[in-house]
Coordinates of all heavy atoms in Angstrom, one line a residue:
S140 N 12.2 -8.0 226.7 CA 11.3 -7.4 227.7 C 9.9 -7.9 227.5 O 9.0 -7.8 228.3 CB 11.3 -5.9 227.5 OG 10.5 -5.5 226.3
L141 N 9.6 -8.6 226.3 CA 8.3 -9.2 226.1 C 8.4 -10.7 226.4 O 7.4 -11.4 226.0 CB 7.9 -9.0 224.6 CG 7.7 -7.5 224.2 CD1 7.5 -7.4 222.7 CD2 6.6 -6.9 224.9
G142 N 9.5 -11.2 227.0 CA 9.6 -12.6 227.4 C 10.0 -13.5 226.3 O 9.9 -14.7 226.4
E143 N 10.6 -12.9 225.2 CA 11.1 -13.8 224.1 C 12.6 -13.6 223.9 O 13.1 -12.5 223.7 CB 10.3 -13.4 222.8 CG 8.8 -13.6 222.9 CD 8.4 -15.0 223.1 OE1 9.2 -15.9 222.9 OE2 7.2 -15.2 223.4
S144 N 13.3 -14.7 223.8 CA 14.7 -14.7 223.6 C 15.1 -15.6 222.4 O 16.3 -15.6 222.0 CB 15.5 -15.1 224.8 OG 15.0 -16.4 225.3
G145 N 14.2 -16.4 221.8 CA 14.5 -17.3 220.8 C 14.6 -16.7 219.4 O 14.0 -17.2 218.5
V146 N 15.2 -15.5 219.3 CA 15.3 -14.7 218.1 C 16.7 -14.5 217.7 O 17.5 -14.1 218.6 CB 14.5 -13.4 218.2 CG1 14.6 -12.6 217.0 CG2 13.0 -13.7 218.5
V147 N 17.0 -14.7 216.4 CA 18.4 -14.3 215.9 C 18.3 -13.0 215.3 O 17.5 -12.8 214.3 CB 18.9 -15.4 214.9 CG1 20.2 -15.0 214.4 CG2 18.9 -16.8 215.6
A148 N 19.1 -12.0 215.7 CA 19.1 -10.7 215.2 C 20.4 -10.4 214.5 O 21.5 -10.7 215.1 CB 18.8 -9.6 216.2
T149 N 20.4 -10.0 213.3 CA 21.7 -9.8 212.5 C 21.5 -8.8 211.4 O 20.3 -8.4 211.1 CB 22.2 -11.1 212.0 OG1 23.5 -11.0 211.4 CG2 21.2 -11.7 210.9
T150 N 22.6 -8.3 210.8 CA 22.5 -7.6 209.6 C 22.7 -8.5 208.4 O 23.1 -9.7 208.6 CB 23.6 -6.5 209.5 OG1 24.9 -7.2 209.5 CG2 23.6 -5.6 210.8
L151 N 22.3 -8.1 207.3 CA 22.4 -9.0 206.1 C 23.9 -9.4 205.8 O 24.2 -10.6 205.6 CB 21.8 -8.4 204.9 CG 21.7 -9.3 203.7 CD1 20.7 -10.4 203.9 CD2 21.3 -8.5 202.4
P152 N 24.8 -8.4 205.9 CA 26.2 -8.8 205.7 C 26.7 -9.9 206.7 O 27.4 -10.8 206.3 CB 27.0 -7.5 205.8 CG 26.0 -6.5 205.4 CD 24.7 -6.9 205.9
D153 N 26.3 -9.7 207.9 CA 26.7 -10.7 209.0 C 26.1 -12.0 208.7 O 26.7 -13.1 209.0 CB 26.4 -10.1 210.3 CG 27.3 -9.0 210.8 OD1 28.4 -8.9 210.2 OD2 27.0 -8.2 211.7
L154 N 24.9 -12.0 208.2 CA 24.2 -13.3 207.9 C 24.8 -14.0 206.8 O 25.0 -15.3 206.8 CB 22.7 -13.0 207.6 CG 21.9 -14.2 207.2 CD1 21.6 -15.1 208.4 CD2 20.5 -13.8 206.6
L155 N 25.3 -13.3 205.8 CA 25.8 -14.0 204.5 C 27.3 -14.1 204.5 O 27.8 -15.0 203.8 CB 25.4 -13.1 203.3 CG 23.9 -12.9 203.1 CD1 23.7 -12.1 201.8 CD2 23.1 -14.2 203.1
A156 N 28.0 -13.3 205.3 CA 29.4 -13.2 205.1 C 30.2 -14.5 205.6 O 30.2 -14.8 206.8 CB 29.9 -12.0 205.9
D157 N 30.8 -15.1 204.6 CA 31.9 -16.1 204.9 C 33.2 -15.4 204.7 O 34.3 -15.9 205.1 CB 31.8 -17.3 204.0 CG 30.7 -18.3 204.4 OD1 30.3 -18.2 205.6 OD2 30.2 -19.0 203.5
V158 N 33.2 -14.2 204.1 CA 34.4 -13.4 203.9 C 34.0 -12.0 204.4 O 32.9 -11.5 204.3 CB 34.8 -13.4 202.4 CG1 35.2 -14.8 202.0 CG2 33.6 -12.9 201.5
P159 N 35.0 -11.2 204.8 CA 34.8 -9.8 205.2 C 34.5 -8.9 204.0 O 35.2 -9.1 202.9 CB 36.1 -9.4 205.9 CG 37.1 -10.3 205.4 CD 36.4 -11.6 205.1
A160 N 33.5 -8.1 204.1 CA 33.2 -7.1 203.0 C 33.6 -5.7 203.4 O 32.8 -5.0 204.0 CB 31.7 -7.2 202.7
T161 N 34.8 -5.4 203.2 CA 35.4 -4.2 203.7 C 35.5 -3.1 202.5 O 35.9 -2.0 202.8 CB 36.8 -4.4 204.2 OG1 37.6 -5.0 203.3 CG2 36.7 -5.3 205.5
G162 N 35.3 -3.5 201.3 CA 35.4 -2.6 200.2 C 34.2 -1.7 200.0 O 33.2 -1.9 200.5
T163 N 34.5 -0.6 199.2 CA 33.4 0.3 198.8 C 33.4 0.4 197.3 O 34.4 0.0 196.6 CB 33.6 1.7 199.4 OG1 34.9 2.2 199.0 CG2 33.6 1.6 201.0
E164 N 32.3 0.8 196.8 CA 32.1 0.9 195.3 C 31.1 2.0 195.0 O 30.2 2.3 195.8 CB 31.8 -0.4 194.7 CG 30.5 -1.0 195.2 CD 30.3 -2.5 194.9 OE1 31.1 -3.0 194.1 OE2 29.4 -3.1 195.4
P165 N 31.1 2.5 193.8 CA 30.0 3.5 193.4 C 28.7 2.8 193.4 O 28.5 1.6 193.3 CB 30.4 3.8 191.9 CG 31.9 3.5 191.8 CD 32.1 2.3 192.7
E166 N 27.7 3.7 193.7 CA 26.3 3.2 193.8 C 25.8 2.5 192.6 O 25.1 1.4 192.7 CB 25.4 4.4 194.1 CG 24.0 4.1 194.3 CD 23.2 5.4 194.4 OE1 23.7 6.4 194.9 OE2 22.0 5.4 194.0
E167 N 26.2 2.9 191.4 CA 25.7 2.3 190.2 C 26.3 0.9 190.0 O 25.7 0.0 189.4 CB 26.1 3.1 188.9 CG 27.5 3.4 188.7 CD 28.0 4.7 189.4 OE1 27.3 5.1 190.4 OE2 29.0 5.3 189.0
V168 N 27.5 0.6 190.6 CA 28.1 -0.7 190.5 C 27.3 -1.7 191.4 O 26.9 -2.8 191.0 CB 29.6 -0.7 190.9 CG1 30.1 -2.1 190.9 CG2 30.4 0.2 190.0
A169 N 27.0 -1.2 192.6 CA 26.2 -2.0 193.5 C 24.8 -2.3 193.0 O 24.3 -3.4 193.2 CB 26.1 -1.3 194.9
A170 N 24.3 -1.3 192.2 CA 22.9 -1.5 191.7 C 22.9 -2.7 190.6 O 22.0 -3.5 190.6 CB 22.5 -0.2 191.0
V171 N 24.0 -2.7 189.8 CA 24.1 -3.8 188.8 C 24.2 -5.2 189.5 O 23.5 -6.2 189.2 CB 25.3 -3.6 187.9 CG1 25.5 -4.8 187.0 CG2 25.1 -2.4 187.0
K172 N 25.0 -5.2 190.6 CA 25.2 -6.5 191.3 C 23.9 -7.0 192.0 O 23.7 -8.2 192.2 CB 26.3 -6.3 192.3 CG 27.7 -6.1 191.8 CD 28.7 -5.9 192.9 CE 30.1 -5.7 192.3 NZ 31.1 -5.5 193.4
G173 N 23.1 -6.0 192.3 CA 21.9 -6.4 193.0 C 20.7 -6.8 192.1 O 19.7 -7.3 192.6
R174 N 20.8 -6.6 190.8 CA 19.7 -6.9 189.9 C 19.5 -8.4 189.8 O 20.4 -9.2 189.9 CB 20.0 -6.3 188.6 CG 19.8 -4.8 188.5 CD 20.5 -4.2 187.3 NE 20.1 -4.9 186.0 CZ 20.6 -4.6 184.9 NH1 21.6 -3.7 184.8 NH2 20.2 -5.2 183.8
A175 N 18.2 -8.7 189.6 CA 17.8 -10.2 189.6 C 18.5 -10.9 188.5 O 18.7 -12.1 188.6 CB 16.3 -10.3 189.5
V176 N 18.9 -10.2 187.4 CA 19.5 -10.9 186.3 C 20.8 -11.5 186.6 O 21.3 -12.4 186.0 CB 19.7 -9.9 185.1 CG1 20.7 -8.8 185.4 CG2 20.0 -10.6 183.8
M177 N 21.4 -11.0 187.7 CA 22.7 -11.6 188.1 C 22.6 -13.0 188.5 O 23.6 -13.8 188.4 CB 23.3 -10.8 189.3 CG 23.9 -9.4 188.9 SD 25.2 -9.5 187.7 CE 26.4 -10.4 188.5
A178 N 21.4 -13.5 189.0 CA 21.2 -14.9 189.3 C 21.4 -15.7 188.0 O 22.0 -16.8 188.0 CB 19.8 -15.1 189.9
Q179 N 20.9 -15.2 186.9 CA 21.0 -15.9 185.6 C 22.5 -15.9 185.2 O 23.0 -16.9 184.6 CB 20.1 -15.3 184.6 CG 20.2 -15.9 183.2 CD 19.3 -15.2 182.2 OE1 18.6 -14.2 182.5 NE2 19.3 -15.6 180.9

């Protein structure tokens, strides 16, 4: 409506997913996976 169409809109899972992420897990597990130390 503002005359702009050159934008890609997505969710983070859709942006990153080469595989489907259908599983669930406790919040504390997701928190560990999200910590910066996991890069190391």
Side-chain angles (χ1 to χ4, degrees):
S140 76
L141 298 173
E143 299 297 347
S144 56
V146 175
V147 177
T149 185
T150 65
L151 188 68
D153 287 341
L154 176 69
L155 303 183
D157 283 337
V158 294
T161 58
T163 59
E164 61 195 351
E166 181 184 332
E167 58 270 23
V168 176
V171 173
K172 293 178 180 180
R174 286 164 49 190
V176 70
M177 287 300 298
Q179 181 181 357

